[in-house]
Amino acid sequence: MDDPRTTPPLHRPDGAPVRVLVVDDEPDVTDVLANVLTGEGWQVRTAADGTTALATARTFRPDAVVLDWMLPDLDGLQVMHGLRREAPQVCVLFLTARDAVEDRIAGITAGGDDYVTKPYSLEEVLARLRGLLRRAGMAAVPGADQLTVGDLTMDEEAREVRRGDVTVDLSRTEFELLRYLMRNPRRVLSKQQILDRVWAYDFGGRAHIVELYISYLRKKIDAGRAPMIHTVRGVGYVLKPESP
């Protein structure tokens, strides 16, 4: 992918690209994640089972691993422990359909750094990885937490949004949708592109949900102000500040 960004790419302290290993037995999941992470300028490898993941990690030496819990041979916890024996500092993000509270607790207690459940937003997965890598001191970029378009600002780490001097309260999905729009300012995004990035996993392509959440955002972002969210009829939506 070649989406323009409002912040420079995240990279390792030595200037080399971040390395990420994606482990999942569903090819659709690994292919989509690999495309998105490669679009960040990162080096990506994939594995469909735990044994392959551990073998790949020995030579690839990832900075972060996106790890499914349910794999055909080893489970995610076994893979994580194997990874940590080789590289104690590696960041592990569980990405799994196991969404019970006790599963989340088990994953984090066992040593996972973060836990995202399916269905998920690709924007959220990317943001979680960026946050993990920065906090671990394994990658950095100045001002990476802040997105700014016109008088609209977003602090990704604090999950705070402001229009001018007014704080805007957003739901989780509204936040992810706005994050995607702000990462692509002045670029027209189709409903399908938005579905793929914000709702992502197995959503079924119901484009009307995009229209609904765009209307929610407009009421919160544009109400009483110069509009920033615009409809391009027959194409999609674009976020851009009012022309000076």
Side-chain angles (χ1 to χ4, degrees), residues 120-156:
Y120 57 83
S121 156
L122 289 168
E123 285 298 297
E124 180 180 8
V125 172
L126 179 57
R128 297 283 189 101
L129 282 173
R130 291 171 68 94
L132 288 178
L133 289 162
R134 287 196 301 270
R135 288 193 294 274
M138 300 176 70
V141 63
D145 291 339
Q146 188 89 9
L147 299 177
T148 303
V149 180
D151 65 347
L152 182 65
T153 59
M154 172 183 284
D155 186 322
E156 296 184 274

Short mmCIF file of all heavy atoms in Angstrom, two decimals, residues 120-156:
data_model
loop_
_atom_site.label_atom_id
_atom_site.label_comp_id
_atom_site.label_asym_id
_atom_site.label_seq_id
_atom_site.Cartn_x
_atom_site.Cartn_y
_atom_site.Cartn_z
N TYR A 120 -11.50 -6.98 13.90
CA TYR A 120 -10.62 -5.91 14.34
C TYR A 120 -10.51 -4.84 13.26
O TYR A 120 -10.89 -5.04 12.10
CB TYR A 120 -9.22 -6.47 14.64
CG TYR A 120 -8.62 -7.18 13.44
CD1 TYR A 120 -7.96 -6.48 12.45
CD2 TYR A 120 -8.73 -8.57 13.32
CE1 TYR A 120 -7.43 -7.14 11.35
CE2 TYR A 120 -8.20 -9.23 12.23
CZ TYR A 120 -7.55 -8.52 11.25
OH TYR A 120 -7.04 -9.17 10.16
N SER A 121 -10.00 -3.70 13.64
CA SER A 121 -9.69 -2.62 12.71
C SER A 121 -8.20 -2.67 12.39
O SER A 121 -7.36 -2.73 13.29
CB SER A 121 -10.05 -1.28 13.34
OG SER A 121 -9.31 -0.23 12.76
N LEU A 122 -7.86 -2.63 11.11
CA LEU A 122 -6.46 -2.60 10.73
C LEU A 122 -5.76 -1.35 11.27
O LEU A 122 -4.60 -1.40 11.66
CB LEU A 122 -6.33 -2.64 9.20
CG LEU A 122 -6.69 -3.98 8.55
CD1 LEU A 122 -6.81 -3.83 7.05
CD2 LEU A 122 -5.66 -5.05 8.90
N GLU A 123 -6.49 -0.24 11.30
CA GLU A 123 -5.91 0.98 11.86
C GLU A 123 -5.56 0.79 13.34
O GLU A 123 -4.54 1.27 13.81
CB GLU A 123 -6.87 2.15 11.69
CG GLU A 123 -6.94 2.68 10.27
CD GLU A 123 -5.61 3.23 9.80
OE1 GLU A 123 -5.12 4.21 10.38
OE2 GLU A 123 -5.06 2.68 8.84
N GLU A 124 -6.43 0.07 14.07
CA GLU A 124 -6.14 -0.16 15.48
C GLU A 124 -4.93 -1.06 15.65
O GLU A 124 -4.06 -0.81 16.49
CB GLU A 124 -7.34 -0.77 16.19
CG GLU A 124 -7.08 -1.03 17.66
CD GLU A 124 -8.25 -1.64 18.41
OE1 GLU A 124 -9.24 -2.01 17.75
OE2 GLU A 124 -8.17 -1.74 19.64
N VAL A 125 -4.85 -2.14 14.86
CA VAL A 125 -3.70 -3.05 14.96
C VAL A 125 -2.40 -2.29 14.68
O VAL A 125 -1.41 -2.43 15.40
CB VAL A 125 -3.86 -4.23 13.99
CG1 VAL A 125 -2.57 -5.07 13.94
CG2 VAL A 125 -5.04 -5.10 14.40
N LEU A 126 -2.42 -1.47 13.64
CA LEU A 126 -1.23 -0.70 13.30
C LEU A 126 -0.86 0.26 14.43
O LEU A 126 0.30 0.36 14.82
CB LEU A 126 -1.47 0.07 12.00
CG LEU A 126 -0.35 0.97 11.50
CD1 LEU A 126 0.93 0.19 11.31
CD2 LEU A 126 -0.77 1.64 10.21
N ALA A 127 -1.85 0.94 14.97
CA ALA A 127 -1.59 1.89 16.06
C ALA A 127 -1.06 1.17 17.30
O ALA A 127 -0.15 1.67 17.98
CB ALA A 127 -2.85 2.67 16.39
N ARG A 128 -1.64 0.01 17.61
CA ARG A 128 -1.16 -0.75 18.78
C ARG A 128 0.30 -1.16 18.59
O ARG A 128 1.10 -1.08 19.53
CB ARG A 128 -2.03 -1.98 18.99
CG ARG A 128 -3.49 -1.71 19.30
CD ARG A 128 -3.72 -1.29 20.74
NE ARG A 128 -5.13 -1.23 21.06
CZ ARG A 128 -5.79 -2.18 21.72
NH1 ARG A 128 -5.16 -3.25 22.15
NH2 ARG A 128 -7.08 -2.06 21.97
N LEU A 129 0.65 -1.61 17.40
CA LEU A 129 2.04 -2.02 17.14
C LEU A 129 2.98 -0.83 17.26
O LEU A 129 4.06 -0.94 17.87
CB LEU A 129 2.15 -2.63 15.73
CG LEU A 129 1.68 -4.06 15.57
CD1 LEU A 129 1.69 -4.45 14.09
CD2 LEU A 129 2.55 -5.03 16.37
N ARG A 130 2.59 0.29 16.69
CA ARG A 130 3.45 1.48 16.79
C ARG A 130 3.66 1.85 18.26
O ARG A 130 4.78 2.18 18.68
CB ARG A 130 2.81 2.64 16.03
CG ARG A 130 2.80 2.47 14.52
CD ARG A 130 1.98 3.55 13.84
NE ARG A 130 2.58 4.85 13.97
CZ ARG A 130 3.39 5.39 13.06
NH1 ARG A 130 3.67 4.74 11.94
NH2 ARG A 130 3.90 6.59 13.24
N GLY A 131 2.58 1.81 19.05
CA GLY A 131 2.70 2.15 20.47
C GLY A 131 3.60 1.19 21.22
O GLY A 131 4.44 1.60 22.02
N LEU A 132 3.44 -0.13 20.96
CA LEU A 132 4.27 -1.13 21.62
C LEU A 132 5.75 -0.91 21.31
O LEU A 132 6.60 -0.96 22.20
CB LEU A 132 3.86 -2.53 21.19
CG LEU A 132 2.55 -3.09 21.72
CD1 LEU A 132 2.30 -4.48 21.13
CD2 LEU A 132 2.56 -3.16 23.24
N LEU A 133 6.06 -0.69 20.04
CA LEU A 133 7.45 -0.54 19.63
C LEU A 133 8.08 0.71 20.23
O LEU A 133 9.23 0.69 20.67
CB LEU A 133 7.53 -0.51 18.10
CG LEU A 133 7.25 -1.85 17.42
CD1 LEU A 133 6.92 -1.63 15.94
CD2 LEU A 133 8.44 -2.79 17.56
N ARG A 134 7.32 1.80 20.27
CA ARG A 134 7.87 3.03 20.86
C ARG A 134 8.11 2.86 22.35
O ARG A 134 9.15 3.26 22.87
CB ARG A 134 6.92 4.21 20.59
CG ARG A 134 6.91 4.69 19.16
CD ARG A 134 6.26 6.07 19.06
NE ARG A 134 4.89 6.06 19.56
CZ ARG A 134 3.83 5.82 18.80
NH1 ARG A 134 3.98 5.53 17.52
NH2 ARG A 134 2.62 5.86 19.32
N ARG A 135 7.11 2.29 23.05
CA ARG A 135 7.26 2.14 24.50
C ARG A 135 8.41 1.20 24.86
O ARG A 135 9.04 1.36 25.90
CB ARG A 135 5.94 1.66 25.11
CG ARG A 135 4.86 2.73 25.13
CD ARG A 135 3.70 2.33 26.01
NE ARG A 135 2.97 1.19 25.50
CZ ARG A 135 1.99 1.27 24.60
NH1 ARG A 135 1.64 2.44 24.10
NH2 ARG A 135 1.35 0.19 24.20
N ALA A 136 8.66 0.21 24.00
CA ALA A 136 9.75 -0.73 24.25
C ALA A 136 11.11 -0.13 23.86
O ALA A 136 12.15 -0.76 24.08
CB ALA A 136 9.52 -2.03 23.48
N GLY A 137 11.10 1.06 23.27
CA GLY A 137 12.35 1.69 22.86
C GLY A 137 12.97 1.04 21.64
O GLY A 137 14.15 1.25 21.35
N MET A 138 12.17 0.26 20.90
CA MET A 138 12.70 -0.46 19.75
C MET A 138 12.51 0.30 18.45
O MET A 138 13.02 -0.10 17.40
CB MET A 138 12.04 -1.84 19.65
CG MET A 138 12.29 -2.69 20.88
SD MET A 138 11.42 -4.26 20.82
CE MET A 138 12.33 -5.09 19.55
N ALA A 139 11.72 1.39 18.49
CA ALA A 139 11.51 2.21 17.30
C ALA A 139 11.02 3.58 17.76
O ALA A 139 10.47 3.72 18.84
CB ALA A 139 10.47 1.56 16.38
N ALA A 140 11.24 4.57 16.91
CA ALA A 140 10.85 5.92 17.30
C ALA A 140 10.68 6.79 16.07
O ALA A 140 11.23 6.53 15.01
CB ALA A 140 11.91 6.53 18.23
N VAL A 141 9.90 7.84 16.26
CA VAL A 141 9.79 8.91 15.27
C VAL A 141 9.24 10.13 16.00
O VAL A 141 8.31 10.01 16.81
CB VAL A 141 8.86 8.51 14.09
CG1 VAL A 141 7.45 8.25 14.55
CG2 VAL A 141 8.89 9.57 13.00
N PRO A 142 9.83 11.31 15.80
CA PRO A 142 9.35 12.49 16.51
C PRO A 142 7.90 12.81 16.17
O PRO A 142 7.51 12.80 15.01
CB PRO A 142 10.29 13.61 16.01
CG PRO A 142 11.49 12.90 15.47
CD PRO A 142 10.99 11.58 14.96
N GLY A 143 7.08 13.12 17.20
CA GLY A 143 5.71 13.53 16.98
C GLY A 143 4.80 12.46 16.46
O GLY A 143 3.75 12.75 15.89
N ALA A 144 5.15 11.18 16.62
CA ALA A 144 4.39 10.11 16.00
C ALA A 144 2.98 9.97 16.55
O ALA A 144 2.11 9.44 15.89
CB ALA A 144 5.14 8.78 16.17
N ASP A 145 2.76 10.43 17.78
CA ASP A 145 1.45 10.25 18.39
C ASP A 145 0.42 11.27 17.93
O ASP A 145 -0.76 11.12 18.20
CB ASP A 145 1.56 10.34 19.92
CG ASP A 145 2.31 9.17 20.51
OD1 ASP A 145 2.38 8.14 19.84
OD2 ASP A 145 2.81 9.30 21.63
N GLN A 146 0.86 12.32 17.26
CA GLN A 146 -0.02 13.44 16.96
C GLN A 146 -0.34 13.51 15.48
O GLN A 146 0.54 13.53 14.63
CB GLN A 146 0.64 14.76 17.38
CG GLN A 146 -0.25 15.97 17.30
CD GLN A 146 -1.03 16.20 18.56
OE1 GLN A 146 -0.79 15.55 19.57
NE2 GLN A 146 -1.97 17.12 18.53
N LEU A 147 -1.65 13.55 15.15
CA LEU A 147 -2.10 13.78 13.79
C LEU A 147 -2.79 15.14 13.76
O LEU A 147 -3.56 15.47 14.66
CB LEU A 147 -3.09 12.70 13.34
CG LEU A 147 -2.60 11.25 13.31
CD1 LEU A 147 -3.74 10.31 12.92
CD2 LEU A 147 -1.44 11.09 12.34
N THR A 148 -2.52 15.93 12.72
CA THR A 148 -3.12 17.25 12.61
C THR A 148 -3.56 17.51 11.19
O THR A 148 -2.78 17.33 10.24
CB THR A 148 -2.11 18.35 13.03
OG1 THR A 148 -1.67 18.10 14.37
CG2 THR A 148 -2.75 19.73 12.96
N VAL A 149 -4.82 17.91 11.03
CA VAL A 149 -5.36 18.34 9.74
C VAL A 149 -6.16 19.62 10.02
O VAL A 149 -7.20 19.58 10.69
CB VAL A 149 -6.27 17.28 9.10
CG1 VAL A 149 -6.81 17.78 7.76
CG2 VAL A 149 -5.53 15.96 8.91
N GLY A 150 -5.68 20.76 9.51
CA GLY A 150 -6.34 22.02 9.82
C GLY A 150 -6.35 22.26 11.32
O GLY A 150 -5.32 22.15 11.98
N ASP A 151 -7.55 22.58 11.86
CA ASP A 151 -7.65 22.80 13.30
C ASP A 151 -8.11 21.54 14.04
O ASP A 151 -8.47 21.61 15.22
CB ASP A 151 -8.60 23.96 13.61
CG ASP A 151 -10.04 23.68 13.20
OD1 ASP A 151 -10.27 22.70 12.46
OD2 ASP A 151 -10.94 24.46 13.60
N LEU A 152 -8.05 20.41 13.35
CA LEU A 152 -8.42 19.12 13.94
C LEU A 152 -7.16 18.37 14.34
O LEU A 152 -6.25 18.18 13.53
CB LEU A 152 -9.23 18.30 12.94
CG LEU A 152 -9.75 16.93 13.37
CD1 LEU A 152 -10.78 17.08 14.48
CD2 LEU A 152 -10.37 16.21 12.17
N THR A 153 -7.07 17.95 15.62
CA THR A 153 -5.90 17.23 16.10
C THR A 153 -6.33 15.94 16.79
O THR A 153 -7.40 15.87 17.41
CB THR A 153 -5.08 18.07 17.09
OG1 THR A 153 -5.89 18.42 18.22
CG2 THR A 153 -4.55 19.33 16.43
N MET A 154 -5.48 14.94 16.69
CA MET A 154 -5.72 13.64 17.32
C MET A 154 -4.45 13.18 18.01
O MET A 154 -3.38 13.12 17.38
CB MET A 154 -6.17 12.59 16.31
CG MET A 154 -6.25 11.17 16.87
SD MET A 154 -6.70 9.92 15.64
CE MET A 154 -8.46 10.24 15.46
N ASP A 155 -4.54 12.88 19.28
CA ASP A 155 -3.45 12.25 20.03
C ASP A 155 -3.76 10.76 20.06
O ASP A 155 -4.65 10.31 20.77
CB ASP A 155 -3.38 12.83 21.44
CG ASP A 155 -2.17 12.32 22.23
OD1 ASP A 155 -1.83 11.11 22.08
OD2 ASP A 155 -1.59 13.09 22.99
N GLU A 156 -3.02 9.99 19.25
CA GLU A 156 -3.32 8.56 19.11
C GLU A 156 -3.07 7.80 20.41
O GLU A 156 -3.80 6.86 20.73
CB GLU A 156 -2.48 7.96 17.98
CG GLU A 156 -2.81 8.51 16.61
CD GLU A 156 -2.04 7.81 15.53
OE1 GLU A 156 -0.89 8.24 15.27
OE2 GLU A 156 -2.56 6.85 14.94
#
